[in-house]
Amino acid sequence: MSSRLKRVAHDKYHRNGVKESSRIIYGLDEAGQACTILTMTTTETESYWDKIKDALMDEIPASRFDAWIRPLTAHCDDNGLTIKVPNRFFLDGLKASYGKRMTELTASLLGKETTIIYDVDTNLAAAEETSQPKSEVVKTESNVDGYIDPRFTFENFVVGSGNEFCHAASRAVADKPGESYNPLYLYGGVGLGKTHLINAVANELLSKNNTRIAYRTGERFTNELIQAIRNGSTDAFRNQYRKVDVLIIDDIQFIAGKDRTQEEFFHTFNALYEVKKQIILTSDRSPRDLTNLMERLRSRFNWGLVADIQPPDLETRLAILSSKAELAGIQLDKDVAHLLASRITNNVRELEGALTRLTAHSTLTGRTIDIAFARHVLRDLLHEEVRAISVEDIQKKVASYFNINIREMSSSKRSRTIAFPRQIAMYATKELTSLSLPEIGSRFGGKDHTTVLYAVRKIDAKRKDSDDFDEEMDRIMALLKQ
């Protein structure tokens, strides 16, 4: 940032009484004007790490907080947030487990441009050794080969009609691994919760007993095998996986077409299955739709339970948003929630990502998250979701829903049985496309843009006044996206 911009921001805060000892983090607002993201006194800088720890304490299991977060010390300076860790091994595990979340929390507290610096301090090793949760660390972390995300639990998984069967099956496996469903094969599109569920199974098992778990992606499993072949260490590779109690492979479809990997996995599968060790697999397709997969592997994938996870319905998407907003400590306006849930329909990750973007923009700019703000911040994402919806599709489906002729959408008839469905179609077109009011009017028989505006305002007001009508509009909007 130029010295002029720094001076503008500095003078602005001095007029508001900020002391010379305050530390100011500068940034730019959406108009490109200088603004302060955060001001901190020396005393305040010491408390920000406590705020980050408090947030993490609310989000992760107590045993993992004690093992990974409580031993740390940190301080803020002009370079950003510095976190001291006891050793390189601990650092790798900390960054893999909580690095992303700590960066998000730091950004929300200290400003977008602030970085986290990790400093290995061997003096902390003794404190780690004598800390109370040591037995818990031995019980959990030492039994995990791979990375289990502690954020993904059954408690924070939102259950709906599209995923309730997969959720129940995963719960059953966590209660009785190797007995209920073996293997458990979950499949479905990207961002629907497969990875959340298999991590939830692992976290549940780790919280109850000394289960030995190996967690891999299909890609990593393949790469490890290639490396073992190169190093002549295939025996060690086999032993690594065949001594575990639970083997989890995420995105098993990656091994399709790789004959040597499939052959090795086939024998590993047999070795574990014969001694009733649990196998959990995820894929983007069902076993029968995996091309270039050995038939004997396809057969084994079907030995246990094959369950598909479907995109969440509107109610589930709203529940997900509510849960994530509550976790982030924000009040999400009902209209904003409906906008996100009705536009982003097929991917839970994108839904959560949209909420994260709104929260970040709101935090950094100080603006309230209302419908106009959401449309502006998420304009690229919302337009991407509705690009395939045409005015003709909307008119056809609304006409069918109200049992009228599609030609009436462009007619001049004003009877309520015709005008009201037409107004709903205009409203839906405004919500689900990027067309302007005049463009929408031209698609409805050359109506004036004021007629379209009247229709949009009327339907919007009726949604706010009547819960029954609001629910009916939710159903219609969902129908238009199918």
Side-chain angles (χ1 to χ4, degrees):
M1 181 183 293
S2 69
S3 59
R4 182 184 68 83
L5 290 182
K6 288 184 177 180
R7 183 172 62 255
V8 170
H10 189 272
D11 291 345
K12 174 182 176 181
Y13 266 80
H14 268 265
R15 288 196 298 271
N16 290 330
V18 175
K19 298 178 181 179
E20 287 290 343
S21 60
S22 298
R23 174 178 173 232
I24 302 177
I25 297 178
Y26 301 97
L28 298 176
D29 60 21
E30 289 187 335
Q33 300 299 312
C35 67
T36 58
I37 297 175
L38 188 68
T39 63
M40 300 185 299
T41 65
T42 302
T43 301
E44 286 173 334
T45 61
E46 296 172 356
S47 70
Y48 279 101
W49 174 239
D50 291 333
K51 292 180 180 180
I52 292 173
K53 288 201 298 183
D54 289 343
L56 291 171
M57 184 182 293
D58 292 336
E59 296 177 12
I60 65 178
S63 61
R64 288 176 176 262
F65 179 87
D66 289 339
W68 290 105
I69 307 301
R70 193 180 298 279
L72 303 175
T73 61
H75 69 275
C76 301
D77 55 29
D78 291 338
N79 294 322
L81 176 67
T82 299
I83 298 177
K84 292 184 178 295
V85 297
N87 53 60
R88 176 61 61 178
F89 176 79
F90 188 99
L91 172 60
D92 292 340
L94 176 70
K95 291 175 69 174
S97 300
Y98 307 108
K100 181 179 179 181
R101 182 57 181 147
M102 287 195 296
T103 299
E104 293 171 351
L105 291 169
T106 304
S108 68
L109 288 170
L110 301 182
K112 187 176 181 181
E113 297 179 349
T114 302
T115 58
I116 294 181
I117 301 169
Y118 295 93
D119 179 25
V120 176
D121 184 355
T122 55
N123 292 328
L124 293 177
E128 182 193 7
E129 286 293 320
T130 58
S131 63
Q132 179 179 349
K134 178 180 178 181
S135 61
E136 190 67 38
V137 175
V138 173
K139 178 181 177 181
T140 58
E141 307 303 333
S142 63
N143 292 324
V144 177
D145 181 8
Y147 170 56
I148 306 297
D149 195 324
R151 298 172 302 167
F152 294 150
T153 65
F154 287 120
E155 287 68 27
N156 59 27
F157 184 83
V158 179
V159 181
S161 59
N163 61 30
E164 59 183 347
F165 181 69
C166 290
H167 174 264
S170 299
R171 275 282 195 185
V173 167
D175 290 337
K176 296 181 178 180
E179 298 181 29
S180 297
Y181 306 109
N182 198 21
L184 175 63
Y185 185 106
L186 306 179
Y187 73 94
V190 175
L192 297 184
K194 302 185 301 296
T195 300
H196 188 140
L197 283 176
I198 60 178
N199 276 271
V201 173
N203 281 312
E204 186 76 7
L205 291 170
L206 290 174
S207 69
K208 294 188 299 187
N209 51 50
N210 290 320
T211 304
R212 296 167 299 177
I213 300 174
Y215 185 108
R216 293 289 188 273
T217 63
E219 180 180 13
R220 180 175 172 184
F221 182 88
T222 301
N223 290 338
E224 286 183 353
L225 174 60
I226 292 172
Q227 192 64 38
I229 294 172
R230 288 176 178 172
N231 297 338
S233 57
T234 53
D235 287 342
F237 173 85
R238 296 185 184 112
N239 293 332
Q240 176 183 4
Y241 289 103
R242 298 181 192 185
K243 66 181 180 181
V244 301
D245 301 307
V246 178
L247 174 62
I248 303 174
I249 304 290
D250 201 3
D251 291 328
I252 192 64
Q253 75 273 3
F254 189 84
I255 73 172
K258 301 174 177 64
D259 293 344
R260 181 65 187 269
T261 304
Q262 291 187 65
E263 184 72 25
E264 194 61 50
F265 185 74
F266 172 78
H267 293 296
T268 297
F269 183 105
N270 287 343
L272 293 174
Y273 187 86
E274 288 172 0
V275 292
K276 296 186 177 180
K277 301 301 183 182
Q278 182 67 50
I279 302 164
I280 304 174
L281 311 171
T282 74
S283 175
D284 60 353
R285 287 158 283 172
S286 68
R288 69 173 179 273
D289 294 329
L290 286 178
T291 57
N292 299 321
L293 185 70
M294 292 179 176
E295 191 57 40
R296 55 183 179 173
L297 264 183
R298 194 191 319 275
S299 173
R300 279 158 177 75
F301 290 171
N302 284 291
W303 278 359
L305 178 65
V306 176
D308 67 320
I309 187 167
Q310 296 292 329
D313 56 22
L314 179 64
E315 290 75 13
T316 305
R317 296 196 297 274
L318 287 171
I320 291 171
L321 284 173
S322 175
S323 173
K324 297 299 179 181
E326 182 179 353
L327 185 63
I330 63 173
Q331 284 283 93
L332 190 62
D333 181 80
K334 179 182 178 183
D335 289 339
V336 175
H338 274 283
L339 174 67
L340 301 185
S342 61
R343 293 288 184 89
I344 305 171
T345 59
N346 293 320
N347 193 314
V348 174
R349 288 180 194 163
E350 288 190 2
L351 194 64
E352 295 175 352
L355 181 61
T356 299
R357 284 173 61 180
L358 285 179
T359 304
H361 277 265
S362 175
T363 300
L364 297 176
T365 63
R367 292 183 57 183
T368 302
I369 302 177
D370 56 21
I371 196 73
F373 182 71
R375 288 184 186 280
H376 173 71
V377 172
L378 303 175
R379 56 192 179 276
D380 57 331
L381 178 61
L382 299 182
H383 286 175
E384 179 179 336
E385 287 289 329
V386 302
R387 192 173 295 145
I389 300 178
S390 68
V391 179
E392 291 73 20
D393 287 338
I394 293 172
Q395 291 175 336
K396 181 178 179 180
K397 290 182 178 180
V398 172
S400 175
Y401 184 88
F402 287 97
N403 197 26
I404 64 173
N405 194 300
I406 190 174
R407 290 194 297 271
E408 306 296 356
M409 289 291 172
S410 302
S411 73
S412 58
K413 294 180 181 179
R414 297 186 178 181
S415 63
R416 177 173 172 78
T417 56
I418 301 299
F420 188 60
R422 185 192 300 135
Q423 290 171 339
I424 288 178
M426 289 179 176
Y427 170 87
T429 302
K430 178 65 173 63
E431 288 292 306
L432 301 180
T433 75
S434 58
L435 295 178
S436 65
L437 295 180
E439 289 172 329
I440 294 174
S442 68
R443 302 292 186 90
F444 284 80
K447 303 290 189 297
D448 188 80
H449 78 278
T450 57
T451 303
V452 180
L453 181 60
Y454 173 79
V456 171
R457 288 177 173 174
K458 179 178 179 179
I459 299 303
D460 189 51
K462 189 172 178 62
R463 292 192 72 166
K464 293 178 180 178
D465 293 340
S466 170
D467 290 339
D468 290 341
F469 179 71
D470 189 42
E471 291 179 4
E472 183 177 19
M473 281 302 301
D474 284 341
R475 291 193 294 271
I476 293 173
M477 299 296 276
L479 177 66
L480 295 176
K481 296 179 183 65
Q482 293 179 355

